[in-house]
Amino acid sequence: MFPMERILHGVMRFRMEVVPRRLGLYRELANGQRPQALFIACADSRVAPELITQADPGELFTCRNAGNIVPPYGQATGGVSAAIEYAVMALGVRDIVVCGHSDCGAMKGILHPEALAGMPTVRTWLNHAEVARRVVEANGPTVDKLQALVEENVLAQLDHLRTHPSVAAHLAAGDMTLHGWVYSLATSEVRAFDAEQHRFVPLGSTAVPAVSARRRPIAARRGDVRG
Amino acid sequence: MFPMERILHGVMRFRMEVVPRRLGLYRELANGQRPQALFIACADSRVAPELITQADPGELFTCRNAGNIVPPYGQATGGVSAAIEYAVMALGVRDIVVCGHSDCGAMKGILHPEALAGMPTVRTWLNHAEVARRVVEANGPTVDKLQALVEENVLAQLDHLRTHPSVAAHLAAGDMTLHGWVYSLATSEVRAFDAEQHRFVPLGSTAVPAVSARRRPIAARRGDVRG
Amino acid sequence: MFPMERILHGVMRFRMEVVPRRLGLYRELANGQRPQALFIACADSRVAPELITQADPGELFTCRNAGNIVPPYGQATGGVSAAIEYAVMALGVRDIVVCGHSDCGAMKGILHPEALAGMPTVRTWLNHAEVARRVVEANGPTVDKLQALVEENVLAQLDHLRTHPSVAAHLAAGDMTLHGWVYSLATSEVRAFDAEQHRFVPLGSTAVPAVSARRRPIAARRGDVRG
Amino acid sequence: MFPMERILHGVMRFRMEVVPRRLGLYRELANGQRPQALFIACADSRVAPELITQADPGELFTCRNAGNIVPPYGQATGGVSAAIEYAVMALGVRDIVVCGHSDCGAMKGILHPEALAGMPTVRTWLNHAEVARRVVEANGPTVDKLQALVEENVLAQLDHLRTHPSVAAHLAAGDMTLHGWVYSLATSEVRAFDAEQHRFVPLGSTAVPAVSARRRPIAARRGDVRG
Amino acid sequence: MFPMERILHGVMRFRMEVVPRRLGLYRELANGQRPQALFIACADSRVAPELITQADPGELFTCRNAGNIVPPYGQATGGVSAAIEYAVMALGVRDIVVCGHSDCGAMKGILHPEALAGMPTVRTWLNHAEVARRVVEANGPTVDKLQALVEENVLAQLDHLRTHPSVAAHLAAGDMTLHGWVYSLATSEVRAFDAEQHRFVPLGSTAVPAVSARRRPIAARRGDVRG
Amino acid sequence: MFPMERILHGVMRFRMEVVPRRLGLYRELANGQRPQALFIACADSRVAPELITQADPGELFTCRNAGNIVPPYGQATGGVSAAIEYAVMALGVRDIVVCGHSDCGAMKGILHPEALAGMPTVRTWLNHAEVARRVVEANGPTVDKLQALVEENVLAQLDHLRTHPSVAAHLAAGDMTLHGWVYSLATSEVRAFDAEQHRFVPLGSTAVPAVSARRRPIAARRGDVRG
Ligand SMILES: [Zn+2]
Ligand SMILES: [Zn+2]
Ligand SMILES: [Zn+2]
Ligand SMILES: [Zn+2]
Ligand SMILES: [Zn+2]
Ligand SMILES: [Zn+2]
């Protein structure tokens, strides 16, 4: 069976077998979406967010690109920035997950740029993870750099998230939470960054290891700034 | 149950119940991916490609953004362009699907720009669908513009795909196929653009309604160009 | 005689000898232009569009740059994009010719990048022909690559033209025609791309070998799209 | 006769009647170009540089765009910058003409931006003439602003030319000349900026009214710079 | 006395009176700089960093722009990004101060955009403080918004600093400190952000209220990441 | 004493000792600034404009970056362009000084690019001085290239200044003056470019060696332009 035939059969199966089992849900969704989170993941074929989280359709507003990158907010804005703005402002999403994964081809490419020869667009894109590469180069291990880079990259992209006005406004208001996850293909385990412990811990071992909740009271509420 | 708790429970269920049932597949995937297609879809929470196509993990290299946009190739390249280049050149993908959907918030925003007030990044991003908007404005219906726009947008993004060198090289070689799909939330039906009939037809009604296969012999093979 | 002197004498001759012979035409033109086509050609000194087509002043809105390039529509728009938009929207032009030529220095530079060392701006500009280079590299001849590249470049720029909203809207409406030409300096012959035969044929051997006429009916006219 | 038919007939006439009369010249040109000047003019159909200067093929390397614009050198370089770099460095051109004209639609659009509504790309492009608009707004006449703007625009683009490294290097060396011209459609007269008189004068009334010749000795030749 | 005359007299006085008093220092500085900090301040004429800190020449590598802005790291990098990279990598600076001030015209312009009408470049630049504006709009006071914005802007620019690879690498290594200051023109007091107390406190009231010191151990040092 | 401690002590000293001595001036400044000039200088720690000119707070609107660069006006505008626009349009500044200096690390980096390896942002930024480098390469000395480059860079940035609409408008009006200075660390001398003599001369040796005053009458005032 050719690849696309297999996919076409899946489309038929979805309509004939999957939808009828939950017709109510699908009918309701035809009228609109109310996702509970924005999920930013790698385009890698093995890390489908809906699979890993067993989410129903309608639950995750999903942005996927090579390397689960979040460019910082700026003038040359693109698809990820638009997805963030739309999720937060139009859909009212208040939880954002950035999810990296083991064996990531994008992260491997950063460590071995020669593998990306002839792919200038990929290299330019992965420049948004340059900050993670430099952190690992300067401080990381001499072996297993890939694992360190996957984690640092998630943290770097969380830092980038904070530069987006829609995100920053809600972080300051204390009603948004950012989550940094790494999914291990070998163990199927998801580990989340715990801001208290300053490290990644298995998801579920604690309540919700939020990376960022409320940053601080802003000046206006303290009433103690002077001109 | 809070939103994130539900998601966390899903993560546990995935690891405890879903993975064990197909342990062989998941173990194999830990060593690498060999996806059969690049799937470019909207970030909308209701249109998960793996669900609609019932694809297994490892089958679809997935790029998702608001409006299933493909910016044309150029100097200011971003995540979608990188995903295309990586899928074609590093992973050897030879089928690319651009999949729009009914009730798309991004397309609605294009028709009603006032709904995107305060979202400058979204508006800038959706400028990549300006070509579809203008086609519909100039030639489209006075009612049901949304449906026309969803279809035209898929075709416009396929035109953009052709401007990417990695795609064009394989189209010229005749070993790549582009697919333009629209998924209807109301009927669960997927319709694909049929280049012969110049319109969208229900998927499965024919073999594979490819949008683009082999464009033409290039000069070199004809031996009839003169200086 | 120094170069500029020769040019200055030409300016005098134009005013004293050329204009008086067709005073009516020149007087009429002082009041406005109604060009019949947008002609995009190389800046090469040997390929003046008005000469090759024996056009009168007032007939061709002419955009010339190194390599007869048409960048795809996008956010970082420049002079070619502006010329297209102005020609179509302000002047009502409905025929667009992209004309390449044999012995093109820009195309040679693409095949021999070392010839462009020290010219970073030229290299960046010619990146818009990267798609043609890749097509030729992947599928083209091992000899006479230049001829193949000249033709592929014209086709690539026609693909880029389609991404411009003003062009796409009229293509969909069926009232615009794109022409892909190659001018041979050795034979003075112009060959045009024939979409039916999928190859370049001598101009004049058929009626008008249009590259693109009417693409397809859009959804609105079929009345068969479902939500 | 349809517009394109007329053009096609011209192409035939060029090959059958024009070329044979000067076969020697055309044969020689097939082997390469040695243009005497870079000519930057408006895309307007009425201002063909080869017509106005009565230049033979092979004499003018010609860059044409809406408004005879020269963007300043920078990171977001485009077609005009590439043409300049190629003309100066690859072809050895040492005379550059920027030629504006009366009744210019681009300049009218700057004075009446409402005429460019719906043409965002044109407006962005003409931002490179913003400097001329501001000069005229601040100091110009209250009537006949268009004439002032056409002249100021030529001078502004000459200022932009100086920011291009290839141009500046030769200006400093004293072996390059810049020319600022305005062509009047009503009188067929060309007027050139005279740097001595600080105004435009009829071309031919003096020798060569160069805008810029040798700027100054650079430090190295004076030997008087101290650390 | 005309403005420039006063400045010229100052230049004379500097050379004749100021330098001779500390000839040793000035002679030593002729051979190179070893600044102790990178100081990013507003271009405002009243907030000279060397004055406020009573620093000697050679002590502060100083970057000044309207609004003491630090654009996030990215592809469209400019002067501030270059100054950061140069200070950290070429000069070895390990302390960075971002210093805002009361009565800042740039911050006023953000709150009252109509004051920036006709200044598109300023508005575009201040977009880098959009994140601070949104934080204040969403959470701030209804009166005295300016004071809140000045503080939030300093914090936003510190967030942007973290996205720069050279900064992030040293923050991770624990050998760099970021400082967020606000200088009050009315009281001559400098207040610094204290990360512990989550608010600005008078400088000097504690030791060094660092905004950021060591972020966390990276994966490599924990040895506990799994594939 | 640690570096930051020394700086903190300076802040205390400023408030306790410096401000009280000129309390009137500081009180007045709290209400607004009326700077007499825009001063664009290098970020180098040894070239504080307020020190070199002995200027009081409130006198110099100061923009500092690595290499005292002024990018030409354009679409990708940044901090320097914003500072210029704000100084001229919001503050009414009519004198602009671009001040380079001997032993400049940025200029050294241009001559020895290998010294900037690993600093891509710095290299990109210094591309704005490429025009000066090319002038020196083509015409400069074989020894002491640095001194020539420092001077040429100041002149190149003055050329860039002219491309800014706010500057050009006032130059045309004749009410703005540009100054090109070079500060020598070895001799504490400032030399200014004299447009009459076409070279740098010691400041103060003449009245005010203005680089640019009034450019020319514009068309409107001559009343002699014809359509
Ligand atoms: Zn990945
Ligand atoms: Zn959608
Ligand atoms: Zn050519
Ligand atoms: Zn024109
Ligand atoms: Zn300020
Ligand atoms: Zn310097």
Side-chain angles (χ1 to χ4, degrees):
Chain A
M1 192 153 63
F2 287 102
M4 280 308 290
E5 281 184 61
R6 188 172 150 79
I7 289 171
L8 293 178
H9 284 144
V11 171
M12 296 301 128
R13 207 163 68 242
F14 167 67
R15 193 182 179 206
M16 298 307 172
E17 300 172 21
V18 177
V19 171
R21 268 183 259 141
R22 302 187 65 185
L23 209 51
L25 171 64
Y26 284 95
R27 280 198 177 137
E28 188 185 333
L29 289 176
N31 299 323
Q33 64 173 328
R34 288 294 305 268
Q36 294 157 1
L38 164 59
F39 205 102
I40 300 169
C42 188
D44 191 297
S45 63
R46 301 165 292 174
V47 298
E50 295 84 356
L51 176 71
I52 296 172
T53 64
Q54 292 291 298
D56 275 337
E59 293 190 336
L60 299 183
F61 192 75
T62 307
C63 179
R64 293 178 66 183
N65 61 66
N68 40 279
I69 297 289
V70 178
Y73 183 77
Q75 290 160 285
T77 53
V80 183
S81 301
I84 293 165
E85 193 175 88
Y86 191 81
V88 174
M89 297 186 69
L91 299 176
V93 163
R94 294 294 176 267
D95 282 282
I96 305 181
V97 181
V98 175
C99 182
H101 66 99
S102 64
D103 196 47
C104 180
M107 295 302 113
K108 284 179 185 171
I110 289 170
L111 291 179
H112 305 285
E114 68 281 3
L116 301 178
M119 294 183 235
T121 309
V122 176
R123 293 177 81 151
T124 299
W125 174 246
L126 293 179
N127 199 32
H128 291 302
E130 170 72 3
V131 61
R133 188 189 69 75
R134 288 268 273 275
V135 165
V136 171
E137 285 298 333
N139 311 283
T142 48
V143 292
D144 280 334
K145 278 191 176 178
L146 177 58
Q147 296 176 339
L149 183 60
V150 167
E151 289 197 4
E152 287 301 320
N153 182 50
V154 167
L155 297 174
Q157 306 311 328
L158 288 173
D159 275 350
H160 289 172
L161 259 180
R162 277 185 247 257
T163 67
H164 289 259
S166 56
V167 172
H170 284 288
L171 285 177
D175 63 357
M176 176 170 282
T177 311
L178 306 188
H179 309 263
W181 291 9
V182 172
Y183 167 53
S184 166
L185 288 163
T187 66
S188 305
E189 188 181 47
V190 172
R191 291 154 52 84
F193 185 70
D194 184 311
E196 295 279 310
Q197 304 182 50
H198 287 281
R199 61 190 191 89
F200 284 82
V201 300
L203 199 65
S205 61
T206 68
V208 180
V211 166
S212 301
R214 185 141 179 281
R215 196 166 57 169
R216 72 196 169 281
I218 76 157
R221 291 184 176 156
R222 297 196 304 277
D224 58 2
V225 184
R226 279 155 298 180
Chain B
M1 193 153 59
F2 286 104
M4 280 309 290
E5 280 184 62
R6 188 171 150 79
I7 289 171
L8 294 178
H9 284 143
V11 171
M12 298 300 129
R13 205 162 70 243
F14 167 67
R15 194 183 179 205
M16 298 307 172
E17 299 172 22
V18 178
V19 172
R21 269 183 257 141
R22 301 188 67 188
L23 208 52
L25 171 65
Y26 284 95
R27 280 196 178 140
E28 190 185 331
L29 288 175
N31 298 323
Q33 65 173 326
R34 287 294 305 268
Q36 294 157 3
L38 165 59
F39 206 102
I40 299 169
C42 188
D44 190 295
S45 64
R46 301 164 294 173
V47 298
E50 294 84 356
L51 175 71
I52 296 172
T53 65
Q54 292 290 298
D56 275 337
E59 292 190 336
L60 299 182
F61 193 75
T62 307
C63 178
R64 294 179 66 184
N65 61 66
N68 41 277
I69 297 289
V70 178
Y73 183 76
Q75 291 160 285
T77 53
V80 184
S81 300
I84 293 165
E85 193 175 87
Y86 191 81
V88 175
M89 297 187 71
L91 299 176
V93 163
R94 293 293 176 267
D95 283 283
I96 305 181
V97 182
V98 174
C99 183
H101 66 99
S102 64
D103 195 46
C104 180
M107 295 301 114
K108 284 180 186 170
I110 290 170
L111 291 179
H112 305 287
E114 69 281 4
L116 301 178
M119 296 184 233
T121 309
V122 175
R123 292 178 83 150
T124 299
W125 174 245
L126 293 179
N127 198 35
H128 290 302
E130 169 72 4
V131 63
R133 187 189 69 77
R134 288 268 273 273
V135 166
V136 172
E137 286 297 333
N139 311 281
T142 48
V143 293
D144 279 336
K145 279 192 177 178
L146 178 58
Q147 296 176 339
L149 184 59
V150 166
E151 288 196 5
E152 286 301 319
N153 182 50
V154 166
L155 296 174
Q157 306 312 327
L158 287 173
D159 275 350
H160 289 173
L161 258 181
R162 277 185 248 258
T163 66
H164 288 258
S166 56
V167 172
H170 284 287
L171 286 176
D175 62 356
M176 176 171 280
T177 311
L178 307 187
H179 309 264
W181 291 7
V182 171
Y183 167 55
S184 165
L185 288 162
T187 66
S188 305
E189 189 181 46
V190 172
R191 291 153 53 84
F193 185 71
D194 183 313
E196 296 278 310
Q197 304 181 49
H198 287 280
R199 60 190 193 88
F200 284 82
V201 300
L203 198 64
S205 61
T206 69
V208 179
V211 165
S212 301
R214 184 144 179 277
R215 195 167 57 167
R216 73 196 170 280
I218 76 156
R221 291 183 176 158
R222 297 196 304 279
D224 60 1
V225 184
R226 279 155 299 178
Chain C
M1 194 155 60
F2 286 103
M4 280 308 290
E5 281 184 60
R6 189 171 148 79
I7 290 171
L8 293 179
H9 284 143
V11 171
M12 296 300 128
R13 206 163 69 243
F14 167 67
R15 194 182 178 206
M16 298 307 172
E17 300 172 21
V18 177
V19 171
R21 269 183 258 142
R22 301 189 68 187
L23 208 52
L25 171 65
Y26 284 95
R27 281 199 177 138
E28 188 186 331
L29 289 176
N31 299 322
Q33 65 173 325
R34 286 293 305 266
Q36 294 157 3
L38 164 60
F39 205 101
I40 300 169
C42 187
D44 191 296
S45 63
R46 300 164 295 174
V47 298
E50 294 84 357
L51 175 72
I52 296 172
T53 65
Q54 292 291 299
D56 276 338
E59 292 190 337
L60 300 183
F61 193 75
T62 306
C63 178
R64 293 178 67 184
N65 61 66
N68 41 277
I69 297 290
V70 178
Y73 183 76
Q75 292 161 283
T77 53
V80 183
S81 301
I84 294 165
E85 193 175 88
Y86 191 82
V88 175
M89 297 187 70
L91 299 175
V93 163
R94 294 293 176 267
D95 282 283
I96 305 180
V97 182
V98 175
C99 183
H101 66 99
S102 65
D103 196 46
C104 181
M107 295 301 113
K108 284 179 184 171
I110 290 170
L111 291 179
H112 305 286
E114 70 280 4
L116 302 178
M119 295 183 234
T121 308
V122 176
R123 293 178 81 151
T124 298
W125 174 245
L126 293 179
N127 199 34
H128 290 302
E130 170 72 3
V131 62
R133 188 189 69 76
R134 288 268 274 273
V135 165
V136 172
E137 286 296 334
N139 311 281
T142 48
V143 293
D144 279 336
K145 279 192 176 177
L146 177 59
Q147 296 176 340
L149 183 60
V150 167
E151 288 196 3
E152 286 301 320
N153 181 50
V154 166
L155 296 174
Q157 307 312 327
L158 287 173
D159 276 349
H160 289 172
L161 259 180
R162 277 185 247 258
T163 67
H164 289 259
S166 56
V167 172
H170 285 286
L171 286 177
D175 64 356
M176 176 170 281
T177 311
L178 307 188
H179 308 263
W181 290 8
V182 172
Y183 167 54
S184 166
L185 288 163
T187 66
S188 305
E189 189 182 47
V190 172
R191 291 154 52 85
F193 185 70
D194 184 310
E196 294 279 309
Q197 304 182 49
H198 287 281
R199 61 191 191 88
F200 284 82
V201 300
L203 198 65
S205 61
T206 69
V208 180
V211 166
S212 300
R214 184 142 179 278
R215 195 167 58 169
R216 72 196 170 282
I218 77 156
R221 291 183 176 157
R222 296 195 307 277
D224 59 2
V225 185
R226 279 156 297 181
Chain D
M1 194 154 60
F2 287 104
M4 279 310 288
E5 280 183 62
R6 188 171 149 80
I7 289 171
L8 294 178
H9 285 143
V11 171
M12 296 301 128
R13 206 163 70 243
F14 167 67
R15 193 183 178 206
M16 298 307 173
E17 300 171 20
V18 177
V19 171
R21 269 183 256 142
R22 301 188 67 186
L23 208 53
L25 171 65
Y26 284 96
R27 280 200 176 136
E28 190 186 330
L29 288 176
N31 299 321
Q33 65 173 327
R34 286 295 304 268
Q36 293 157 2
L38 164 60
F39 206 101
I40 300 169
C42 187
D44 191 295
S45 64
R46 302 165 292 173
V47 298
E50 295 84 357
L51 176 71
I52 297 172
T53 66
Q54 291 291 298
D56 276 336
E59 291 190 337
L60 298 183
F61 193 76
T62 307
C63 179
R64 293 179 65 184
N65 60 66
N68 40 278
I69 298 289
V70 178
Y73 184 77
Q75 291 161 285
T77 54
V80 183
S81 300
I84 294 165
E85 192 175 88
Y86 191 81
V88 175
M89 297 186 70
L91 299 175
V93 163
R94 294 292 176 268
D95 282 284
I96 305 180
V97 182
V98 174
C99 182
H101 66 99
S102 65
D103 195 46
C104 180
M107 294 303 113
K108 285 179 186 170
I110 289 170
L111 291 180
H112 305 286
E114 69 282 3
L116 302 178
M119 296 183 234
T121 309
V122 175
R123 293 179 81 151
T124 299
W125 174 246
L126 293 180
N127 198 33
H128 291 303
E130 170 71 3
V131 61
R133 188 189 68 76
R134 288 267 274 273
V135 166
V136 171
E137 286 297 334
N139 311 282
T142 49
V143 293
D144 279 334
K145 279 192 178 179
L146 178 58
Q147 296 176 340
L149 183 60
V150 167
E151 288 196 4
E152 286 302 318
N153 182 50
V154 166
L155 297 174
Q157 306 311 327
L158 288 173
D159 276 349
H160 288 173
L161 259 181
R162 277 185 247 257
T163 67
H164 289 258
S166 56
V167 172
H170 285 287
L171 285 177
D175 63 356
M176 175 170 280
T177 311
L178 306 187
H179 309 264
W181 292 8
V182 172
Y183 168 54
S184 165
L185 288 162
T187 66
S188 306
E189 189 182 46
V190 173
R191 292 155 50 85
F193 185 70
D194 184 311
E196 295 279 310
Q197 303 182 49
H198 287 281
R199 61 191 193 87
F200 283 82
V201 300
L203 198 65
S205 60
T206 68
V208 180
V211 165
S212 301
R214 183 144 179 277
R215 196 167 56 169
R216 72 195 170 280
I218 76 157
R221 292 182 176 158
R222 297 194 306 277
D224 59 2
V225 185
R226 278 156 298 179
Chain E
M1 193 155 59
F2 286 104
M4 280 308 290
E5 280 183 62
R6 187 172 150 80
I7 289 171
L8 294 178
H9 284 144
V11 171
M12 297 300 127
R13 206 163 69 242
F14 166 66
R15 194 181 178 207
M16 298 307 172
E17 300 171 22
V18 177
V19 172
R21 269 183 257 139
R22 301 187 66 187
L23 207 52
L25 171 65
Y26 285 95
R27 281 200 176 135
E28 189 185 332
L29 288 175
N31 299 322
Q33 65 173 324
R34 287 292 307 268
Q36 292 157 4
L38 165 59
F39 205 102
I40 300 169
C42 188
D44 190 296
S45 64
R46 301 165 292 174
V47 298
E50 295 84 357
L51 175 71
I52 297 172
T53 65
Q54 292 290 299
D56 275 336
E59 291 189 336
L60 300 183
F61 192 75
T62 306
C63 179
R64 294 178 66 183
N65 61 66
N68 39 279
I69 297 289
V70 178
Y73 184 76
Q75 291 161 286
T77 53
V80 183
S81 300
I84 293 166
E85 193 175 89
Y86 191 81
V88 175
M89 296 187 70
L91 299 176
V93 163
R94 294 294 175 267
D95 283 282
I96 305 180
V97 182
V98 174
C99 182
H101 66 99
S102 65
D103 195 46
C104 181
M107 295 302 114
K108 285 179 186 170
I110 290 171
L111 292 179
H112 305 285
E114 70 279 4
L116 301 178
M119 296 183 234
T121 309
V122 175
R123 292 178 82 150
T124 299
W125 174 246
L126 293 179
N127 199 33
H128 290 302
E130 170 72 3
V131 62
R133 187 189 69 76
R134 287 268 272 275
V135 166
V136 171
E137 285 298 334
N139 311 282
T142 48
V143 292
D144 280 334
K145 278 192 177 178
L146 178 58
Q147 296 176 338
L149 184 59
V150 166
E151 288 196 4
E152 286 301 319
N153 181 50
V154 166
L155 296 173
Q157 306 312 327
L158 287 172
D159 276 349
H160 288 172
L161 259 181
R162 278 184 246 258
T163 67
H164 289 258
S166 55
V167 172
H170 284 288
L171 285 177
D175 62 357
M176 175 171 280
T177 310
L178 307 187
H179 309 263
W181 291 7
V182 172
Y183 167 55
S184 165
L185 288 162
T187 65
S188 306
E189 187 182 46
V190 173
R191 292 154 50 87
F193 185 70
D194 183 312
E196 295 279 311
Q197 303 182 50
H198 288 281
R199 60 190 193 89
F200 285 82
V201 300
L203 198 65
S205 61
T206 69
V208 181
V211 165
S212 300
R214 185 145 178 276
R215 195 167 56 168
R216 73 196 168 279
I218 77 157
R221 292 186 174 155
R222 297 197 304 278
D224 60 1
V225 185
R226 278 155 298 178
Chain F
M1 191 154 61
F2 286 104
M4 280 308 290
E5 281 184 62
R6 187 170 150 79
I7 289 171
L8 293 179
H9 284 144
V11 171
M12 297 300 128
R13 206 163 69 242
F14 167 67
R15 195 184 178 205
M16 299 307 173
E17 299 172 22
V18 177
V19 172
R21 268 183 259 140
R22 302 188 66 188
L23 208 52
L25 170 65
Y26 284 95
R27 279 198 179 139
E28 188 185 332
L29 288 175
N31 299 323
Q33 65 172 325
R34 286 295 303 269
Q36 294 158 3
L38 164 59
F39 206 101
I40 300 170
C42 187
D44 190 297
S45 63
R46 300 164 294 174
V47 298
E50 294 84 356
L51 175 71
I52 297 172
T53 65
Q54 292 290 301
D56 275 337
E59 292 190 336
L60 299 182
F61 193 74
T62 307
C63 179
R64 293 178 67 183
N65 61 66
N68 39 279
I69 297 289
V70 178
Y73 184 76
Q75 291 160 285
T77 52
V80 183
S81 300
I84 293 166
E85 194 175 88
Y86 190 81
V88 175
M89 296 187 70
L91 299 176
V93 163
R94 293 294 176 265
D95 282 282
I96 306 181
V97 181
V98 174
C99 182
H101 66 98
S102 65
D103 195 47
C104 180
M107 295 303 113
K108 284 179 185 171
I110 289 171
L111 292 179
H112 305 286
E114 69 280 3
L116 302 178
M119 295 182 233
T121 309
V122 175
R123 293 178 81 150
T124 299
W125 174 245
L126 293 179
N127 199 33
H128 290 302
E130 170 71 5
V131 63
R133 188 190 68 76
R134 289 268 272 275
V135 166
V136 171
E137 286 297 334
N139 311 282
T142 48
V143 293
D144 280 334
K145 278 191 177 179
L146 178 58
Q147 296 176 339
L149 183 60
V150 166
E151 288 196 5
E152 286 302 319
N153 182 50
V154 167
L155 297 174
Q157 306 313 327
L158 287 173
D159 276 349
H160 289 172
L161 259 180
R162 278 185 246 258
T163 67
H164 289 257
S166 56
V167 172
H170 284 287
L171 286 176
D175 63 356
M176 175 171 282
T177 311
L178 307 187
H179 309 263
W181 292 6
V182 172
Y183 167 54
S184 164
L185 289 162
T187 66
S188 305
E189 188 181 47
V190 172
R191 291 154 53 84
F193 185 71
D194 183 312
E196 295 278 311
Q197 305 182 50
H198 288 281
R199 61 190 191 88
F200 284 83
V201 300
L203 198 65
S205 61
T206 68
V208 180
V211 165
S212 301
R214 185 143 178 275
R215 195 167 57 166
R216 70 192 172 282
I218 77 157
R221 293 184 176 157
R222 296 196 305 277
D224 60 1
V225 184
R226 279 157 297 180

